[in-house]
Amino acid sequence: MAGSPTLTPAIVVGVVRYGETSRIVRLATRELGLQSAIAKGVARPRSRFVGLQLLSEGTAHLLQGRGELATLTAFDPLDLHTPLASRLIAFRAASALAAVAGRAIPPAHHPEVHDALRHGIRLIEAAPEPAAEIAGLAALWRFVAALGHAPVLDRCVRDGRPVDAAGGAAFAIEEGGVLCATCASGGGATRLAHEDLQALAFLLAGDAPPPDLDARYARAHRRLLGRWLTRHVTDGPLPAVEGWVRGDDSPLGVG
Ligand SMILES: [Zn+2]
């Protein structure tokens, strides 16, 4: 006899075809962390699976197998986030968030990580389109923080000395945060203005007034976050993140 399935809140962070009618889904679950599962017969007429698409949120019924691949026996949809798919800026950001989740969430019980992902998707979805840019940056940075990979901004990441950021500061992506003047004199770090550091603090934690990001400035912030993700979170580049970083160069999103 097979065991009974585990029921857990889950968000679909990846879907790939498997055979004619089945799919392998990556699920960011609340109880079991990241799980890959086969959903059999999804594409059949009268399939019992509804809304098994990228970013869908619901309750997954997971039957653990002997290997890494579980079997998804049912998915009770809660919120399919369908409106996101028709909004370019928001959808790009949410897709990047899902891709990061699909790479970086550990396969273990970390409810706070699942909750940060869920909040992030909602933050992006709730933002009117002009604000979706900032919401996307905030959702991704806060998810990074929930994963335990936030940059150090209040002291030198190399020697712990206080950093006076009033005139801006050197930001060493490789090392994971800002540098004091002495360490920065060696060069090699990205120079961030005071406003950039303030914006970053807001995006990470939201305890400052939201920054005013024009398009060029927003692109610089996306590029910074993209480099951070590649170095500290996703262990290499992800296409969905790269697409989001390139972002607004083309109104059709193909630039
Ligand atoms: Zn230092």
Side-chain angles (χ1 to χ4, degrees):
M1 286 288 289
S4 52
T6 302
L7 271 63
T8 171
I11 297 166
V12 178
V13 295
V15 185
V16 291
R17 294 176 65 98
Y18 187 77
E20 285 297 305
T21 62
S22 298
R23 301 284 182 271
I24 290 175
V25 289
R26 273 172 103 63
L27 299 168
T29 79
R30 196 161 196 280
E31 303 306 325
L32 307 167
L34 191 65
Q35 295 285 317
S36 289
I38 183 161
K40 291 174 184 157
V42 171
R44 281 201 196 108
R46 297 190 306 278
S47 159
R48 66 189 183 287
F49 290 105
V50 177
L52 204 58
Q53 64 204 30
L54 191 67
L55 301 171
S56 294
E57 192 180 326
T59 300
H61 300 230
L62 285 170
L63 206 51
Q64 299 290 330
R66 249 173 297 194
E68 266 182 34
L69 198 61
T71 300
L72 187 70
T73 58
F75 185 77
D76 310 326
L78 176 69
D79 189 340
L80 302 184
H81 301 291
T82 310
L84 268 176
S86 59
R87 296 175 48 205
L88 187 62
I89 293 173
F91 188 70
R92 269 207 206 105
S95 300
L97 183 60
V100 174
R103 176 65 66 89
I105 292 181
H109 181 67
H110 282 292
E112 74 287 357
V113 173
H114 173 86
D115 293 347
L117 174 63
R118 193 164 54 88
H119 289 150
I121 293 169
R122 282 163 192 227
L123 184 67
I124 294 167
E125 191 170 47
E129 194 68 351
E133 183 77 79
I134 292 179
L137 283 162
L140 274 149
W141 270 123
R142 288 167 199 189
F143 185 60
V144 166
L147 287 165
H149 300 303
V152 174
L153 296 180
D154 59 348
R155 62 188 190 280
C156 178
V157 71
R158 203 178 288 170
D159 58 21
R161 280 188 222 178
V163 171
D164 174 18
F171 186 71
I173 289 178
E174 289 294 314
E175 292 174 73
V178 294
L179 298 176
C180 67
T182 309
C183 293
S185 63
T190 304
R191 191 79 203 163
L192 291 186
H194 182 56
E195 308 85 73
D196 295 317
L197 289 165
Q198 275 186 318
L200 199 48
F202 166 80
L203 294 168
L204 277 159
D207 57 357
D212 182 23
L213 296 183
D214 66 25
R216 198 175 59 85
Y217 194 53
R219 189 158 58 239
H221 269 273
R222 287 201 309 274
R223 210 177 293 136
L224 181 74
L225 177 48
R227 288 173 62 196
W228 185 270
L229 288 167
T230 300
R231 172 65 182 80
H232 293 286
V233 185
T234 58
D235 192 25
L238 295 175
V241 173
E242 292 187 314
W244 170 73
V245 169
R246 281 195 308 272
D248 58 3
D249 296 325
S250 153
L252 294 175
V254 293

